[in-house]
Amino acid sequence: MTKTYSLEIPSQNTPLGGGSADDMPIDFKALIGTVYRRFWIIVTGFLVTLFAVAYITFTQTPIYKANSILQLDTNKENVIDLGSVLGGLAASTATIDTEVRVMGSKSLLTKVATKLKLSEDPEFNWTLREHKPGLIEMAKGQIGAWTGHPPKKTVPYANLSAAEREAAILESVTRTLINKVHISRIGTTYLIQVDVTSQSPETAARIADAVADQYRVQQLDSKLEATRRATAWLSERVAGLRDEVEAKEKRVEEFRAETGLLSAQGATLTEQQIAYNTTQKSQLQAQLNRARSRYDNMKRQIDSGVGIDAIAEVLDSPVISGLKAQRAQILRRVAELETTLGPSHPELIGARNEAADIERQIESEVSRIAANLENEVKAAQDQINSINSNIGQSTAQLRGNNINLVRLRELERDAETSRVLYEEFISRSKETREQDDLVQADANILSTATVPDQPSSPRKLLNLIIGALLGGIIGGGLALLAEIFDMKISSADDIERKLGVNSIGSVPLIRSTSLLPFSQINPADFLVDNPLSAFAESIRYLRAAIAFSDLDSETKTVAITSSLPDEGKTSLTLSLGRMSAMSGSRTLVIDGDFRRRQLTDAAGMSPEIGFIEHLFGAGQLSDAICKDSRSMLDILPLSKAGHVPHDVFGTRAFDDLLARLRSMYDLILIDTGPLLLMSEARVVAGKTDKTILVIRWRRSLRSAVRQSLTLLKTFNADLLGITLNMVDLSQRRHHKDPGAAYKAYSKYYSMETKRSIFGWSKTPKASGMTAAPNPMSAQVKPGKSAVKSGTSSEVSTH
């Protein structure tokens, strides 16, 4: 077995300011310690990642990028109103984003691929590339060659017809082109940028310009096609509307004629007739009123006997005026004759008769005037009655006309609607016929693509920077994983923080600097030869921890155990016993590992009577106890032929022996077997004053130690603490305790080193000892196992 030993001096790591390290939000010291411990993992992850990125970067085919810029025209200036046929782009984000999608659409890029004949370019048509078999194909080919069935070469699209093969190749080329074309909007502007990547700078520029141009062509084609469709549809619609308008207007006139709703100057004939009759009636009514008034007035005067001279109609009559003149003349004649002639004179009588005849004529004329007035009243009344009759007939006819007029207006509105629609379509048709000369694309090529002179990918410097950052992240992640899954114990801080148990010191790893590859030295012998070495100081510290473990009662019996074999507890027990004996204490070491008896072998003893024989009455205690040849230490060894019963430490004989030994010695150390493998170790731990659990630096697992602590607690063992054994101080990356930096303490440690193999030795100087170098910087030289106790024979001579 190969054994190693190490020393770790416990120290208090208190941050400045009096606070504890746990109060700090980030333990930078622990972080730096992690980086220091996992330095090579971080470096390995960093270098592997960096080299991988560098390899990919410098072996990657250069990629060139070209771009062209289009400006969307949202302000269309048309000489005629074509908004309902072809409108410009709306100034909205959704519209611009839609145009970006259209430019990158499969249909547009398919036209670009066809126009540029990209099917003839191996970069886009994979069937034209030289096929380089991969590792799997090469392996299959090699296996086929060995078995006599080489793989057949396959021809792409061999099972398709010529047209289907061409379509499949074009589909593949288009997919490749889609991956190489990126359309994006520049900020919040109306500018669209077309980026194209290719292995050829000329191809990249050519495709960028072709995509921009094809977008404009597609816009023009779309608008012209829309114009042609609109023109054809409008022409057809205008012809239909023309016939419809003619038919509806004809129906209006026919209905007007059928219903007599003929009109002139905006009114129907019936309405005009009613208006005329109403006017005539008004005039006749005025005349009737005047005639009736004259007639009534005349009749009243005649009836009242006032005389006809007061009658206006009589006064206005020229006949009556003439008759009155004649009557006046005759009356003057009668008056003259009466003065000259007698009453019976014929001439007087003739004159009187002539006057009477004139009176009769006047009365007759008055009667005639009165009759004329009466006739005039009757005639006016008859005319009014006739007009009223005509008005009544016209009104009745108007009611029927109004009913028919509702239908007529409906027909007129229908005809008017068709007429307006017909006129609008005629106007639109004229505008659309002029569209071919006015159609323009909604985008202008603002900047054409230039042939790039430098590749855009790979960007070597940037890739190396990214590789370095990624390498650092991966290295740090690996280090973090290593810390997370590291279940080994590296320091006293791990013991106290992760196990919750006191640490009572660390024992350094003793490394050999001998030129022989398998040089051997016993750690207990090294202790005797170098009493002022760091190893001896760690054992001395452990002895002090035992001595001052309990100030109320003396600690005499100590069980030293470990969780598993090969953790160095046997060599540590022997070294601790020698140190106690060399310090003047009466010390006894008992070899309690019945199966391996390593302590007995390490002490170089082969007794006939040992611990087991004496315990069961085969010999005296003085015969069983042996004296150590290198110190004043007493050892109760195990004989090789001794019978080992199943229960030794649980017997009454052991209890009596232990009581007897307590009166004889100041310190009794019992080297037990591993706790997890042997039940005897648990029993011994429960019967001794104190128990020390030895764990091996970066070898013992926390789970095994926790299980051991549980067993000790179950058997009521009084645990003094845990000793960290075989701490390799040369591996500073895994040694966490800051107090183990022995450069400051090396002046206190000195030793004497003998090289008996080569016949020379390094003798002490005037002080009697040589100054010891830093034990933490000793080099590792593995050697054979000098003992079977689980302690390492890797020794460092200082």
Side-chain angles (χ1 to χ4, degrees), residues 156-170:
Y157 309 115
N159 298 327
L160 302 179
S161 63
E164 292 175 341
R165 183 175 183 273
E166 184 177 354
I169 291 176
L170 181 59

Side-chain angles (χ1 to χ4, degrees), residues 94 357 451 552 686:
D357 183 52
V451 178
D552 296 332

Side-chain angles (χ1 to χ4, degrees), residues 34-36 38-47 471-472 475-476 478-479:
T34 300
V35 173
Y36 184 70
R38 307 297 177 182
F39 176 76
W40 289 115
I41 294 179
I42 297 175
V43 170
T44 302
F46 173 80
L47 292 179
L478 293 176

Side-chain angles (χ1 to χ4, degrees), residues 728-783:
D728 189 354
L729 299 182
S730 64
Q731 297 186 18
R732 290 293 298 152
R733 292 183 176 85
H734 295 284
H735 194 271
K736 301 179 181 178
D737 288 341
Y742 280 98
K743 290 183 178 180
Y745 303 103
S746 61
K747 64 182 68 176
Y748 295 100
Y749 306 132
S750 60
M751 62 186 174
E752 180 182 9
T753 304
K754 296 181 179 180
R755 304 282 187 172
S756 59
I757 298 175
F758 297 98
W760 61 273
S761 62
K762 183 180 291 185
T763 58
K765 295 183 180 180
S767 62
M769 289 293 177
T770 59
N774 184 4
M776 301 170 58
S777 62
Q779 300 299 319
V780 179
K781 295 293 182 179

Side-chain angles (χ1 to χ4, degrees), residues 18 21 105 133 216 220 239 313 335 353 364 438-439 454 469-470 595 612-613 627 635 649 670 717 735-736 787:
S105 63
R216 297 184 74 254
L220 291 174
E313 285 75 10
N353 288 337
S364 176
L438 299 174
V439 169
Q454 294 292 335
L469 295 176
L470 184 61
R595 293 165 179 77
I612 300 299
E613 289 79 9
K627 185 67 68 174
I635 300 175
F649 298 109
I670 303 176
H735 194 271
K736 301 179 181 178
V787 294

